[in-house]
Amino acid sequence: MKLIKTMSSEERESLSVPEDVDFRITATQQALASCTGAVLTSLLVTPLDVVKIRLQAQQKNTPKCYLYCNGLMDHFCGCKPQDLQRQWYARPGHFSGTMDAFYKITKTEGISSLWSGLSPTLVLAIPATIIYFVAYEQMRLKLKHRYNIANPGTSGQPFWIPMFSGGTARIFSVTIVSPLELIRTKMQSQKLSYYEIRRALKMLIKQDGIGALWMGVIPTLCRDVPFSAIYWTNYETFKKLFWTSNQPSFSKSFISGGLAGMVAATITTPFDVIKTHQQIQLGEKTLYGGKSKTMVGSFYDTFWEIRKSHGVRGLFAGLFPRVIKVAPSCAIMISSFEYGKIFFNRLARKNHVANISTKKDLMN
């Protein structure tokens, strides 16, 4: 790496080493970098959500379903009353608050209980994160390349490129993963075999059409697309402020990602509140079918219902816990991704220089 930095532009051209300030890597390497970030984020954030779910569960005698979120994505799970004492989310406990829950769960059930429910989260978090980050990076670089060609003499990128790329990448991710989420939820809640789930899906498609596989995708998009657009726009802005050079930095990426996540989480909290109401309703309807009388209202109807019942403050319910979970999740995820770009870029350049040196030796 030091060898390349000390070379002149003429020497770089002679060795055919691209002067790539963006630390571009292949799509496969981007997938590996984002996968690492997804696992790290899930491991570090899951205890916060386990505590949240346990605190919520003790307020209800027979919860029908709950939301599980690791900061990257969320999904709903069903609760069967007859299994309550055997399920991790309904174990007995009288917690007065978050810290009290952390202490009592660790003391009475062991520290491993703080990572209950991690496996089903990773099943969807990893593919969703890979699709999201790879789609964003590929789209951003292509749009930036075309912009620089159309505007000679410019090397940066306008704000609309990360905004558009982030929103579009989230649409791809949510749309692709949504049917998998429905299948996983069905299997988890009703203990169905693969043969039974195939029959259930055939019946669902026959009754409601192919669009039934994307049930609930609209409220998810209504929250996640604005969040992604705001997040990536702010992240690229903070990068320019904190980075003294074009080379990515783990610590500066961490700070930029955390601040961008904080801003995006704050602005989109009303979307999150509405989406949570709709997803819980959808969860009861999906998991229990005709047994549930729950009707899923439209985004507009849910907005005015919350506004009428709880006022403007109701639309920002849970702002603080959302921010303190989303901000570190974003920081860990993006800094891991940027470090992966550094690692693979250095490896590629090192191999490239080694290959050039070998060719020169053979020629001599």
Side-chain angles (χ1 to χ4, degrees):
M1 192 67 186
K2 290 181 180 179
L3 175 64
I4 294 175
K5 282 186 176 181
T6 56
M7 291 180 182
S8 65
S9 58
E10 291 81 6
E11 289 173 326
R12 282 180 176 167
E13 287 181 13
S14 65
L15 289 178
S16 301
V17 179
E19 191 172 359
D20 193 346
V21 296
D22 290 317
F23 279 73
R24 302 181 185 184
I25 56 178
T26 66
T28 303
Q29 291 169 337
Q30 290 169 358
L32 290 172
S34 58
C35 178
T36 303
V39 173
L40 282 174
T41 305
S42 296
L43 288 172
L44 293 172
V45 179
T46 292
L48 292 173
D49 219 52
V50 168
V51 168
K52 183 201 75 174
I53 292 168
R54 293 287 293 274
L55 286 170
Q56 290 175 342
Q58 74 176 4
Q59 297 173 1
K60 301 179 181 179
N61 295 325
T62 57
K64 291 184 177 180
C65 66
Y66 63 89
L67 281 176
Y68 191 98
C69 174
N70 68 344
L72 297 172
M73 60 173 293
D74 51 11
H75 51 260
F76 53 81
C77 299
C79 306
K80 290 188 175 182
Q82 63 268 29
D83 296 333
L84 283 180
Q85 296 304 317
R86 296 195 293 272
Q87 298 293 340
W88 65 266
Y89 49 77
R91 289 173 187 156
H94 301 284
F95 311 122
S96 59
T98 301
M99 295 309 298
D100 184 55
F102 267 112
Y103 174 75
K104 288 181 178 177
I105 291 172
T106 303
K107 184 179 179 180
T108 59
E109 302 173 23
I111 194 168
S112 61
S113 289
L114 293 174
W115 283 269
S116 301
L118 178 62
S119 298
T121 302
L122 291 176
V123 169
L124 286 181
I126 291 176
T129 305
I130 290 174
I131 295 168
Y132 176 45
F133 273 79
V134 173
Y136 169 77
E137 192 73 358
Q138 293 289 319
M139 196 176 306
R140 182 185 70 84
L141 292 176
K142 287 181 180 179
L143 288 174
K144 182 180 178 182
H145 179 67
R146 291 183 180 181
Y147 177 81
N148 291 335
I149 291 176
N151 300 272
T154 59
S155 58
Q157 62 184 9
F159 77 94
W160 62 265
I161 290 181
M163 179 182 289
F164 177 80
S165 301
T168 307
R170 181 60 81 179
I171 292 174
F172 286 154
S173 174
V174 171
T175 304
I176 293 172
V177 173
S178 186
L180 299 177
E181 163 71 1
L182 181 66
I183 293 170
R184 186 199 58 77
T185 303
K186 283 284 188 182
M187 292 185 72
Q188 209 175 36
S189 63
Q190 299 179 21
K191 307 290 184 183
L192 300 176
S193 65
Y194 287 100
Y195 175 74
E196 290 171 327
I197 196 67
R198 187 173 65 180
R199 288 184 59 189
L201 288 174
K202 282 184 178 180
M203 289 293 295
L204 181 66
I205 294 171
K206 187 176 180 180
Q207 291 175 0
D208 303 320
I210 192 71
L213 294 176
W214 283 270
M215 193 183 300
V217 73
I218 297 301
T220 301
L221 289 174
C222 286
R223 181 199 64 178
D224 290 358
V225 172
F227 177 91
S228 296
I230 295 169
Y231 170 76
W232 287 110
T233 303
N234 280 282
Y235 175 69
E236 296 294 338
T237 302
F238 287 131
K239 272 173 62 174
K240 293 178 183 178
L241 293 176
F242 294 128
W243 292 12
T244 55
S245 66
N246 287 317
Q247 179 177 339
S249 163
F250 182 88
S251 59
K252 292 175 182 177
S253 296
F254 189 92
I255 295 171
S256 300
L259 289 174
M262 189 181 300
V263 172
T266 301
I267 295 174
T268 59
T269 292
F271 295 97
D272 183 62
V273 172
I274 295 170
K275 190 250 184 183
T276 300
H277 277 72
Q278 288 186 306
Q279 197 170 19
I280 294 247
Q281 293 171 354
L282 177 67
E284 294 182 9
K285 182 179 178 182
T286 303
L287 294 171
Y288 301 100
K291 297 178 182 179
S292 176
K293 297 181 180 179
T294 303
M295 295 297 292
V296 183
S298 67
F299 188 89
Y300 181 81
D301 291 338
T302 307
F303 169 82
W304 281 108
E305 182 183 337
I306 297 171
R307 175 75 172 78
K308 184 179 179 180
S309 302
H310 307 286
V312 176
R313 291 183 63 182
L315 294 170
F316 288 88
L319 173 62
F320 182 70
R322 172 169 159 78
V323 169
I324 63 171
K325 184 168 67 174
V326 170
S329 298
C330 291
I332 296 165
M333 186 66 237
I334 195 62
S335 55
S336 301
F337 183 67
E338 294 285 9
Y339 181 80
K341 289 166 64 176
I342 297 172
F343 173 79
F344 286 118
N345 186 270
R346 285 177 176 173
L347 186 63
R349 291 191 177 201
K350 192 175 181 180
N351 292 337
H352 188 83
V353 172
N355 291 336
I356 294 295
S357 301
T358 302
K359 287 180 182 179
K360 281 192 172 184
D361 292 339
L362 291 174
M363 290 175 65
N364 294 331

